[in-house]
Amino acid sequence: MWEDTAAKNSMQASQVRRSGMCNRLYYQPKQEVDCFMERFQTLDQCYNGDSQGNHFSTLNSHEQYCTLESSSAKDSSALYNSPSTVNLSPNGSPLSQLESHSYPSDTRHSPDYAYSSPLSSSCTTEDVDNFKHKLRELETVMFGPDSDIMNSIESALQDGTSVKLPEMDNWGKTLETISRGDLRQVLIACAKAVSDNDMLMAQWLMDELRGMVSVSGEPIQRLGAYMLEGLIARQFSSGSSIYKAFRCIELESEELLSYMHILYEVCPYFKFGYMSANGAIAEAMKHENKVHIIDFQIAQGSQWISLIQAFAARPGGPPHIRITGIDDSTSAHARGGGLDIVGKRLAKLAELFKVPFEFHSVTMSGCEVQVKNLGIRHGEALAVNFAFMLHHMPDESVSIHNHRDHLLRFVKSLSPKVVTLVEQESNTNTAAFFPRFLETLNYYTAMFESIDVTLPRERKERINIEQHCLARDVVNIIACEGIERVERHELLGKWKSRFAMAGFAPCPLSPLVNATIKRLLESYCDKYRLEERGGALYLGWMSRDLVAACAWK
C-alpha cells in the first residue's frame, strides 16, 4: 500500500536541499536571492559593458550566478554554467526552467533539451533584444508588476477612469483566504495555479504555505507539509526528476519495521484488509486438505500469522499449507533481507501450531510472474491474494501492455478457488492533476485525522510513521506522471469491472468475517465505520471510505 519506489535519476539533485527527514524538499532561502541581487548589476554589465564601455564575453563561474546547494550531478553543469539559465526565481529556482513554455518553437529552451545539451558559455547573445526582455522579465518577478502596467494604472487614475485588472479579483480572493488562515483552501488555490501554469501565483502561494504547514501541527498542517513538497516537485522539476533524485537517510530495517508496526497497531486499515481476505480464504478452504496461497506482494508476511492460527484450530485438523510469496527486491531493505526471512518466520510459527507448512519465494515484480515460477501442484486448492498491491500495476493509461488487466487474466487462467482484493478506496489512477490533488487531499486528510486521534501529537513516533510510511505516496501521487507515478488507486467499482472482464464472479464475504471485524473496530475510535455494500466490505473514517475488501472466484 505504502511501498517505496526506486529512485534512479539524480539529474536535478542540485535543486534539492536534504534534511534528515525523509522526502523533505527545501528550496534555497532568501539569502540565495539576496546573493543573486548583489550580482544582478554584474549580469547587466555582462550585456551592456562596464563603465568604461568594455564588453565581457565570459564571467567567472563563481560570480556569474549563485551556486545552489547540490550533489555532484555531472550532467547539470552545462545547465547551471550557462548564462541562458542564470535567471533565478525568488526561491532560487532557475527561471529558464519555469519559463520554458514561452519558447514552443525553440528546443533549446525545453526542459528536456536543457538537461541533455550544453548551452553556450558566452554572455553575448545573438538576440540582444531577447536578452534585455529576459532581464525585464526577471525584474518583474523580483520587484513586482511591470512598469508599463503601473504607468497605465497611473494614467487611468489621472483621467478618472475605473481600473480593474483581469487577475485582481483572483488575487484578492486568495489574499482573503490567506488572511483567514484557511490552509486547505490555500493548498487548493496553489494546486489550481500549478494546474493552470500560473507560475507567479503558484510561487507566491508556495511561499505563503511554507509558513502555514508543519509536520508537528494539526492533521491538515502535517498533510499540507507533504502536499506542498509534491507541488514544489511538480512545479519546478516536472515531478519525476526530483522524486527520483531526492534521497533520505536510509533507516535501519529494524527502525523502519518499527514504524510500520506502529501504523499497523494504531490504525485498523491493515488489520481490516488482512482479516477480510483471510476470512474469505478460510471460508473457501474449509473442506480442503491441501491449500496453496499465492501472495503477490507478501512484504513482511504478517497477514498469514492469523490465518495459520485459524487453520490450526480447524475441526478435523489443519490442512497442509504452502505459501508462495512474491515480492520484488525493493522490499528487501524494509525486511532486513530477502524473502527467506519471511519463510523462516512463518515456518517457525506453523511448527509451533503443528501446521504442515511449506514456503516458496519468488523475487520479481508481479507483472513478470509466469506459471513456471509458481510451482503449481495437482490436488492443491489455490487461493490468490492481492492486498494493497494491484494499484501499483500500470494499466492501459500508462502502458500498451496493460499489466493490471493482464495479471488478472493470468490469475484467472490458474483456476483459483478464491481471489481476494484489498485496496484503498480512492480515485487517482487516470484523474488529471487538479482533481487528483483534491482526491488526495480529501483521502489523506481523513487518514491523518485518524492517526491524530490514536497517537498523541507530541509523540515522535507519529511524525516518523507519517514521514516514512505515508509521505512518499503523497508526493508521488501529486508530483509524478506516466510510469513514474506508481500510486494509482481506483475505486472498487472500477476494480469490479476489471475482475468481471477477466472472467471472475463475485464471492460474498462470510457474515462471520463481518462480525469479527466489527469487534475489532470496537477497540478503536468510534469514528471508524464498517459497511457492507454489493458483497464488499468498506472501512471508513466518518463519512469517507478508505479501504475496500472483496473476494472473487
Side-chain angles (χ1 to χ4, degrees):
M1 174 177 177
W2 290 289
E3 293 292 334
D4 188 14
T5 53
K8 301 175 184 177
N9 185 352
S10 61
M11 190 73 73
Q12 292 184 328
S14 60
Q15 293 177 329
V16 179
R17 181 169 65 184
R18 291 169 285 180
S19 71
M21 179 177 67
C22 183
N23 293 347
R24 192 71 176 148
L25 304 180
Y26 287 101
Y27 281 78
Q28 302 306 307
K30 182 176 181 297
Q31 54 263 37
E32 292 285 352
V33 179
D34 294 339
C35 180
F36 171 77
M37 298 270 292
E38 294 171 3
R39 290 165 173 78
F40 187 82
Q41 185 176 2
T42 306
L43 280 174
D44 191 40
Q45 289 176 345
C46 175
Y47 162 68
N48 290 312
D50 63 7
S51 57
Q52 282 76 38
N54 298 322
H55 291 267
F56 301 91
S57 59
T58 58
L59 288 177
N60 182 277
S61 62
H62 295 288
E63 297 176 352
Q64 189 175 9
Y65 60 90
C66 293
T67 304
L68 303 182
E69 185 176 347
S70 65
S71 61
S72 57
K74 297 179 180 180
D75 294 334
S76 64
S77 60
L79 175 65
Y80 291 110
N81 284 326
S82 168
S84 299
T85 61
V86 74
N87 299 342
L88 302 181
S89 70
N91 77 329
S93 302
L95 278 180
S96 62
Q97 192 175 344
L98 306 183
E99 297 169 348
S100 61
H101 68 283
S102 302
Y103 306 94
S105 62
D106 189 350
T107 57
R108 291 176 301 171
H109 293 88
S110 69
D112 293 337
Y113 185 90
Y115 289 107
S116 60
S117 302
L119 302 176
S120 170
S121 61
S122 172
C123 278
T124 61
T125 177
E126 296 177 0
D127 190 346
V128 172
D129 291 334
N130 182 59
F131 188 76
K132 284 186 173 181
H133 175 66
K134 297 305 294 177
L135 290 178
R136 185 64 172 272
E137 285 185 354
L138 177 60
E139 289 176 314
T140 299
V141 174
M142 297 293 288
F143 303 112
D146 190 283
S147 59
D148 292 339
I149 297 177
M150 297 304 296
N151 292 337
S152 66
I153 294 175
E154 292 174 1
S155 300
L157 289 173
Q158 291 173 0
D159 296 338
T161 306
S162 176
V163 179
K164 186 177 182 181
L165 294 178
E167 298 180 359
M168 289 305 290
D169 283 346
N170 189 27
W171 285 72
K173 291 177 182 177
T174 306
L175 275 171
E176 183 181 349
T177 302
I178 294 173
S179 66
R180 293 198 311 267
D182 192 338
L183 175 54
R184 178 184 175 86
Q185 291 303 316
V186 177
L187 282 168
I188 292 173
C190 187
K192 187 65 168 66
V194 171
S195 177
D196 294 342
N197 205 25
D198 186 347
M199 293 174 292
L200 191 58
M201 172 71 84
Q203 178 60 52
W204 171 47
L205 291 175
M206 287 176 186
D207 291 340
E208 293 293 333
L209 284 168
R210 286 186 179 95
M212 301 175 73
V213 302
S214 169
V215 296
S216 58
E218 306 251 350
I220 186 61
Q221 290 178 300
R222 305 197 309 264
L223 173 59
Y226 305 123
M227 298 199 80
L228 176 57
E229 291 174 6
L231 288 170
I232 293 173
R234 183 180 185 88
Q235 176 74 345
F236 294 98
S237 68
S238 301
S240 61
S241 296
I242 276 188
Y243 182 75
K244 290 191 296 183
F246 66 69
R247 296 287 193 276
C248 63
I249 298 175
E250 289 289 353
L251 300 171
E252 294 294 330
S253 60
E254 294 81 5
E255 189 178 3
L256 182 55
L257 279 172
S258 174
Y259 297 149
M260 295 169 66
H261 179 72
I262 293 173
L263 181 62
Y264 179 85
E265 291 297 331
V266 300
C267 294
Y269 306 121
F270 287 113
K271 290 182 181 178
F272 161 78
Y274 293 164
M275 289 177 67
S276 300
N278 288 351
I281 293 173
E283 179 69 17
M285 303 296 180
K286 60 184 177 182
H287 300 304
E288 299 294 339
N289 293 322
K290 293 182 179 180
V291 177
H292 182 191
I293 300 171
I294 300 176
D295 188 347
F296 268 87
Q297 188 169 287
I298 196 167
Q300 316 303 324
S302 303
Q303 176 175 349
W304 309 117
I305 296 175
S306 61
L307 185 63
I308 290 173
Q309 293 173 328
F311 275 134
R314 192 177 76 171
H320 180 279
I321 301 174
R322 187 160 65 98
I323 294 179
T324 293
I326 302 170
D327 212 350
D328 59 32
S329 57
T330 59
S331 297
H333 174 74
R335 278 191 298 268
L339 285 172
D340 59 309
I341 294 177
V342 178
K344 291 177 181 178
R345 179 189 184 195
L346 294 178
K348 185 175 181 180
L349 178 72
E351 182 180 6
L352 180 65
F353 283 92
K354 296 180 172 54
V355 176
F357 180 81
E358 289 182 63
F359 184 82
H360 173 56
S361 63
V362 179
T363 306
M364 62 178 61
S365 171
C367 60
E368 299 172 335
V369 174
Q370 300 178 35
V371 175
K372 64 182 180 181
N373 304 123
L374 300 175
I376 302 295
R377 296 176 187 170
H378 180 70
E380 290 181 331
L382 182 63
V384 176
N385 184 63
F386 292 120
F388 305 113
M389 176 268 178
L390 273 179
H391 72 274
H392 288 147
M393 292 292 101
D395 70 347
E396 68 278 4
S397 67
V398 182
S399 169
I400 59 174
H401 300 294
N402 192 358
H403 296 293
R404 190 168 297 192
D405 289 343
H406 171 77
L407 182 56
L408 292 180
R409 291 193 298 270
F410 169 72
V411 168
K412 181 60 180 176
S413 71
L414 302 177
S415 300
K417 190 161 188 179
V418 64
V419 176
T420 53
L421 173 71
V422 183
E423 278 293 347
Q424 292 162 267
E425 184 67 356
S426 182
N427 184 22
T428 62
N429 181 27
T430 58
F433 163 69
F434 186 62
R436 187 168 79 239
F437 181 92
L438 296 178
E439 173 73 354
T440 304
L441 177 60
N442 291 333
Y443 184 91
Y444 281 94
T445 294
M447 183 164 288
F448 274 61
E449 286 177 353
S450 69
I451 295 174
D452 200 60
V453 168
T454 312
L455 205 58
R457 210 168 285 173
E458 63 274 9
R459 288 276 297 274
K460 181 181 178 182
E461 292 91 342
R462 183 199 48 71
I463 297 177
N464 285 329
I465 66 173
E466 289 174 352
Q467 290 173 353
H468 298 296
C469 302
L470 301 178
R472 280 197 180 183
D473 291 358
V474 172
V475 172
N476 183 259
I477 293 170
I478 295 172
C480 298
E481 296 293 349
I483 197 67
E484 303 298 337
R485 182 157 62 85
V486 297
E487 300 299 327
R488 294 179 165 273
H489 307 103
E490 292 185 324
L491 299 175
L492 185 56
K494 180 65 174 179
W495 289 118
K496 286 183 175 180
S497 298
R498 292 188 185 277
F499 272 80
M501 286 190 296
F504 289 98
C507 181
L509 296 173
S510 168
L512 181 60
V513 175
N514 301 6
T516 303
I517 295 175
K518 285 180 181 178
R519 288 197 298 271
L520 166 70
L521 293 182
E522 290 175 358
S523 61
Y524 290 89
C525 177
D526 59 6
K527 292 183 179 179
Y528 286 108
R529 58 175 177 79
L530 181 68
E531 289 187 14
E532 182 180 1
R533 300 195 304 269
L537 283 179
Y538 294 82
L539 175 64
W541 173 260
M542 300 177 67
S543 61
R544 172 76 204 209
D545 291 330
L546 292 177
V547 182
C550 58
W552 302 81
K553 58 184 179 181

